[in-house]
Amino acid sequence: MNINISRQNIYLLILSMFLLVFVVFFSFLILIPKGKEYREQRLEMKKENRDLGRYQEFNDETLEILKKLQADNRHIINAFDNSFNAERFEKQHHSYFNSLTLSPQVKSVDEDEFEVYEVNTTSHINSPKSFYDFLDAINKSDWIIGINFPINFKRDAEMIKSSFTMKVYSIKNDLNSTK
């Protein structure tokens, strides 16, 4: 029996066998080890994406809270930027008193990031109610002011004489500059 196979079929068969051997070696030497590495990296990427999502969500929540606080406290933030002006203070709050005088500003010890001024005041008022109205107006003023205790009230005929010390806070100008 004589098998008659053409030369082209033999070349095709040899080429097919070579490609089959190449594919088998390629898959066992490269694809399978890289596939395991790929799965490990894919799991790691999923973990990192999950962590990134959590951090992004936390960042968004914190940013929302920050913007809400900035909007709610815009007046206070702006008040820190204003420098204290004694004449303007007297003009704004003179209506609460019959007479209001401020002693000169004495710069006290700096408290970390703030410049602190101590302002001593004396005033003559008709009733303590006007003083409390003055305290409410201080809270809405253009400066951050702290009233220090004691607040002394002394009756003088029909008037009440009051004296107290205030601290006025403002942010230092060179706080954001580089050193």
Side-chain angles (χ1 to χ4, degrees), residues 138-149:
I138 290 274
N139 286 333
K140 297 172 187 167
S141 70
D142 294 336
W143 305 285
I144 303 296
I145 298 175
I147 306 291
N148 295 337
F149 290 99

Side-chain angles (χ1 to χ4, degrees), residues 45-74:
M45 182 64 106
K46 282 184 180 180
K47 289 177 185 176
E48 288 178 6
N49 282 339
R50 185 179 61 234
D51 289 344
L52 176 65
R54 276 193 250 154
Y55 290 137
Q56 188 66 41
E57 184 178 314
F58 176 74
N59 182 41
D60 293 343
E61 289 173 3
T62 305
L63 182 63
E64 185 178 318
I65 291 169
L66 173 67
K67 289 191 182 247
K68 183 181 182 300
L69 287 173
Q70 284 178 334
D72 292 346
N73 299 307
R74 175 69 46 208

Side-chain angles (χ1 to χ4, degrees), residues 1 4 74 114 146 149 158:
M1 164 172 242
N4 198 6
R74 175 69 46 208
F114 301 108
F149 290 99
E158 291 293 317

Side-chain angles (χ1 to χ4, degrees), residues 49-164:
N49 282 339
R50 185 179 61 234
D51 289 344
L52 176 65
R54 276 193 250 154
Y55 290 137
Q56 188 66 41
E57 184 178 314
F58 176 74
N59 182 41
D60 293 343
E61 289 173 3
T62 305
L63 182 63
E64 185 178 318
I65 291 169
L66 173 67
K67 289 191 182 247
K68 183 181 182 300
L69 287 173
Q70 284 178 334
D72 292 346
N73 299 307
R74 175 69 46 208
H75 179 69
I76 295 169
I77 293 169
N78 291 337
F80 273 117
D81 293 333
N82 295 333
S83 60
F84 184 69
N85 184 342
E87 294 171 6
R88 186 167 163 233
F89 179 83
E90 286 183 22
K91 282 183 184 178
Q92 282 184 349
H93 301 291
H94 189 70
S95 62
Y96 297 102
F97 305 100
N98 290 344
S99 141
L100 171 68
T101 57
L102 292 167
S103 64
Q105 297 177 2
V106 177
K107 205 174 204 181
S108 69
V109 178
D110 287 347
E111 296 181 358
D112 294 334
E113 298 106 24
F114 301 108
E115 292 182 28
V116 179
Y117 297 96
E118 287 205 20
V119 180
N120 296 315
T121 61
T122 56
S123 58
H124 293 280
I125 55 177
N126 293 332
S127 71
K129 182 186 179 326
S130 63
F131 183 77
Y132 293 118
D133 292 341
F134 164 73
L135 291 179
D136 287 338
I138 290 274
N139 286 333
K140 297 172 187 167
S141 70
D142 294 336
W143 305 285
I144 303 296
I145 298 175
I147 306 291
N148 295 337
F149 290 99
I151 300 171
N152 298 317
F153 291 104
K154 197 180 234 185
R155 184 143 183 91
D156 185 24
E158 291 293 317
M159 302 298 263
I160 300 173
K161 182 180 179 183
S162 64
S163 65
F164 53 95

